[in-house]
Amino acid sequence: MVSSMKHTDEPVIRAEKISFSYVGHGLALDCIDFMVRKGEFVAFLASNGAGKTTFLKVLVGLLKPGTGSVRLNGRDIKGLSASVICREIGFVLQNPTDQLFAATVEEDVAAGPRNLGLPEDEVERRVAEALELVSVSHLRKRAIHHISHGEQKRVSIAGIIAMNPSTLILDEPTAGLDPEGEASMLRTLNRLNKEHGKTIILATHSVDMLPLFADRIVIMNSGKILQDGSPEEVFADREMLKGARLRLPYISRLLYELRHLDGAPIDGIPLTIGEARVKLLELIPEERLIRNMRGQGE
């Protein structure tokens, strides 16, 4: 599951009573309260149209809420310039082609640090470090339009990392990736969180790998937060998930059905393959396990 990394008590971001409406489309966000502490990995899990992308844009000041406020390290973002916000929060768009603009990978990742007015040797150091962190150093000289969709997503993250924000907010970073690409992306974000201390907030509709990485999962539906808690707390409420048009992780659903449909004496609902393995092994008589172990030894 997730590491036991300690988080500070003071919120990095606090949003209070946030509402937002699109002209002609009604209420997109309905009186949302949310906070994240330094070092947390928080995932917004919701189906399409639930409001998660809109809320992330409010958090970084791209959209102005109709009501409520967002505070960044105690300061109302209404009084902060875009450059100040960008130094502390890096926002990664869902579609990398909306974010990448330079001819080559190297030029794109270097653009942010150069705009900060950093000396060229520092720009060079940051570019190299950011590309290494997201495992695309080998693409440094490649043209943006000659790399894959998944590689473009990594380069867009590298461009944000190069500006060294303490918080990363990502909109659907695994969208359009195959299962291996999705797993690789989440492992990268987990490394940035646990090894490099980045606070991570991401929006996703992917379910299966979140229990491995997220400290908290926030469920949204129809512009409201339905639940905010640990993976164990959130996935224990199956009816709430159904109401939000979401599902259990596949491995959890299997064990749930074994318990409720087949009567298997399974206590709790495992969220990962490792937890499921332990639960299933508990169902095998001890003498059979011993015979199997002896047989493998021979």
Side-chain angles (χ1 to χ4, degrees):
M1 297 294 290
V2 298
S3 83
S4 58
M5 176 180 178
K6 294 182 179 179
H7 312 117
T8 61
D9 290 331
E10 186 64 27
V12 175
I13 299 173
R14 181 189 293 276
E16 296 181 313
K17 309 302 180 185
I18 297 295
S19 295
F20 181 86
S21 297
Y22 289 104
V23 177
H25 293 280
L27 202 60
L29 301 175
D30 187 3
C31 201
I32 290 180
D33 292 325
F34 169 75
M35 56 85 73
V36 61
R37 295 185 177 91
K38 180 179 173 62
E40 281 192 297
F41 190 127
V42 180
F44 277 80
L45 181 61
S47 57
N48 291 334
K52 58 187 185 299
T53 294
T54 300
F55 185 60
L56 295 191
K57 289 181 176 179
V58 169
L59 291 183
V60 298
L62 291 178
L63 294 176
K64 307 300 182 184
T67 63
S69 64
V70 177
R71 305 188 74 82
L72 174 60
N73 291 316
R75 300 162 295 170
D76 194 322
I77 65 169
K78 291 179 182 177
L80 302 178
S81 66
S83 61
V84 169
I85 295 172
C86 288
R87 286 175 184 268
E88 300 188 36
I89 301 176
F91 185 48
V92 181
L93 301 171
Q94 177 177 342
N95 189 344
T97 60
D98 292 336
Q99 189 162 335
L100 302 173
F101 60 90
T104 69
V105 168
E106 180 179 49
E107 292 171 3
D108 201 279
V109 177
R114 287 195 178 116
N115 285 337
L116 294 176
L118 299 176
E120 199 58 29
D121 60 341
E122 176 64 9
V123 172
E124 166 67 23
R125 186 192 69 79
R126 289 196 181 197
V127 169
E129 183 179 80
L131 292 174
E132 176 65 27
L133 283 174
V134 298
S135 305
V136 289
S137 295
H138 61 292
L139 300 176
R140 182 167 184 155
K141 301 296 183 180
R142 295 278 292 278
I144 292 292
H145 62 280
H146 285 166
I147 62 178
S148 71
H149 178 72
E151 290 168 340
Q152 288 180 347
K153 279 183 172 282
R154 287 179 175 273
V155 171
S156 65
I157 294 173
I160 295 299
I161 292 172
M163 298 178 71
N164 198 31
S166 59
T167 300
L168 298 179
I169 298 182
L170 308 100
D171 186 15
E172 296 282 4
T174 62
L177 302 182
D178 60 26
E180 179 51 38
E182 178 179 333
S184 178
M185 176 64 73
L186 287 173
R187 285 194 295 267
T188 295
L189 296 177
N190 185 61
R191 187 168 68 251
L192 290 170
N193 174 244
K194 299 300 185 284
E195 298 178 15
H196 298 274
K198 302 293 185 185
T199 304
I200 303 288
I201 303 172
L202 65 85
T204 184
H205 59 263
S206 300
V207 173
D208 296 293
M209 296 197 68
L210 287 184
L212 292 170
F213 305 118
D215 297 310
R216 286 162 51 203
I217 295 176
V218 179
I219 303 295
M220 287 189 69
N221 190 42
S222 300
K224 296 181 179 181
I225 289 180
L226 300 185
Q227 191 162 346
D228 179 348
S230 68
E232 292 82 2
E233 293 169 335
V234 168
F235 288 122
D237 193 341
R238 192 163 182 265
E239 290 305 310
M240 180 274 299
L241 291 173
K242 287 174 63 177
R245 294 173 294 160
L246 297 168
R247 61 171 175 81
L248 290 170
Y250 281 127
I251 192 67
S252 305
R253 182 175 177 181
L254 171 62
L255 273 291
Y256 178 90
E257 293 189 356
L258 284 173
R259 184 175 74 181
H260 290 274
L261 300 182
D262 302 304
I266 297 171
D267 182 29
I269 297 296
L271 298 178
T272 67
I273 290 175
E275 292 176 351
R277 177 176 179 272
V278 171
K279 294 293 184 183
L280 290 173
L281 285 173
E282 290 174 352
L283 301 180
I284 302 175
E286 184 176 354
E287 59 272 16
R288 182 181 299 177
L289 280 176
I290 293 173
R291 288 200 303 271
N292 288 344
M293 292 173 64
R294 287 173 176 170
Q296 292 172 5
E298 296 173 356

